[in-house]
Amino acid sequence: MYKLIIFDLDGTLLDTSRTIQSVLNESLKKFSLPQLSIEKTVEYVGNGAKKLIERAVGTEHKELIEAVYADYSERFSADDNKFTTLYNGVYDTLKKLSNAGIYFAIITNKPQQATLRVYEKFLSEFNFAEVRGQASDTPLKPNPQSTLEIMYKYRVKPEECLFVGDGETDVQTAANAGIKCVSALWGFRTREQLCAAGAALFARNFTDLEKIVLQ
């Protein structure tokens, strides 16, 4: 039986796409750069805020990347997440799995301060054992360092740990840590994109996830 589930955040527990788009476009507008559609925003996320800005700004204006990144980071850390929502089924599933004695962690490439703000607003009642975002002393996914550290800290064997995420980096992180990954099909990537990254186990919704965890 699984003892620990490590979740990605954006596109897995929370739909943050509108929030990211809103804040990003404010920064792009400030520097007179083209704004992004929601589709393009979702395409660009997944590898951390700096990579998002590099993709949004583009090579034609690469001299602006650092300035746009600084502006975006400041805005994003202070954002009230009014456009962010929990995905359907998150609350009931977390409650059921928690009652089954399973504990949770979050590992995301979202900046740590922004991660903690959105966690406190939407998920804090579930008392996640660890909430780790982008920090200067922590490598981003797909590096497995954070995953392995959490497993070691809580004495969880690889077969007792499950990684749940909607992105390619989640599939790769789980593989690098030697644990299974459930790829969430309700998030920011298609089944085809996830398969190309090596995904083999999928959940269409949180009911599917419950079945996989509790089987």
Side-chain angles (χ1 to χ4, degrees):
M1 178 177 173
Y2 293 110
K3 294 181 178 180
L4 170 67
I5 302 176
I6 300 176
F7 288 96
D8 172 50
L9 187 60
D10 296 5
T12 301
L13 294 171
L14 298 172
D15 185 355
T16 55
S17 57
R18 296 289 177 183
T19 294
I20 295 170
Q21 181 198 26
S22 174
V23 176
L24 177 58
N25 280 340
E26 287 176 1
S27 292
L28 293 173
K29 182 178 180 180
K30 177 179 177 178
F31 291 90
S32 301
L33 294 169
Q35 298 188 25
L36 299 187
S37 66
I38 189 64
E39 292 80 13
K40 189 60 70 173
T41 301
V42 167
E43 178 185 334
Y44 286 170
V45 300
N47 300 99
K50 186 65 174 293
K51 183 61 68 174
L52 169 66
I53 298 304
E54 290 175 359
R55 291 165 174 163
V57 172
T59 56
E60 293 182 5
H61 303 283
K62 60 183 180 181
E63 73 280 0
L64 294 175
I65 288 174
E66 292 299 330
V68 176
Y69 175 61
D71 185 78
Y72 172 83
S73 297
E74 182 176 351
R75 292 176 188 271
F76 199 67
S77 293
D79 189 79
D80 64 1
N81 287 284
K82 61 180 177 293
F83 297 125
T84 294
T85 58
L86 283 167
Y87 281 108
N88 290 335
V90 170
Y91 185 90
D92 289 342
T93 292
L94 291 184
K95 187 174 182 179
K96 184 178 295 185
L97 297 180
S98 179
N99 288 340
I102 297 168
Y103 50 105
F104 313 127
I106 289 171
I107 297 179
T108 173
N109 285 343
K110 191 187 195 77
Q112 179 70 5
Q113 186 175 347
T115 295
L116 293 175
R117 281 177 63 89
V118 76
Y119 167 77
E120 288 296 332
K121 182 171 182 176
F122 292 98
L123 295 162
S124 58
E125 69 180 276
F126 292 101
N127 297 314
F128 279 60
E130 300 275 342
V131 180
R132 298 195 183 192
Q134 176 189 347
S136 59
D137 60 345
T138 305
L140 296 176
K141 297 180 295 184
N143 188 298
Q145 178 178 316
S146 289
T147 300
L148 294 172
E149 286 176 352
I150 292 172
M151 291 169 62
Y152 179 79
K153 181 176 180 179
Y154 294 96
R155 299 180 181 180
V156 176
K157 300 175 183 177
E159 63 269 21
E160 297 171 333
C161 185
L162 189 66
F163 207 110
V164 179
D166 72 303
E168 297 95 336
T169 56
D170 302 310
V171 177
Q172 295 158 358
T173 301
N176 291 340
I179 61 177
K180 285 186 178 180
C181 179
V182 175
S183 292
L185 295 178
W186 57 82
F188 296 163
R189 296 291 184 265
T190 65
R191 187 185 186 100
E192 290 72 26
Q193 288 172 313
L194 293 167
C195 283
L201 184 59
F202 301 91
R204 297 165 298 175
N205 49 46
F206 278 89
T207 300
D208 280 357
L209 179 59
E210 285 180 29
K211 294 177 181 177
I212 292 170
V213 175
L214 298 175
Q215 65 184 358

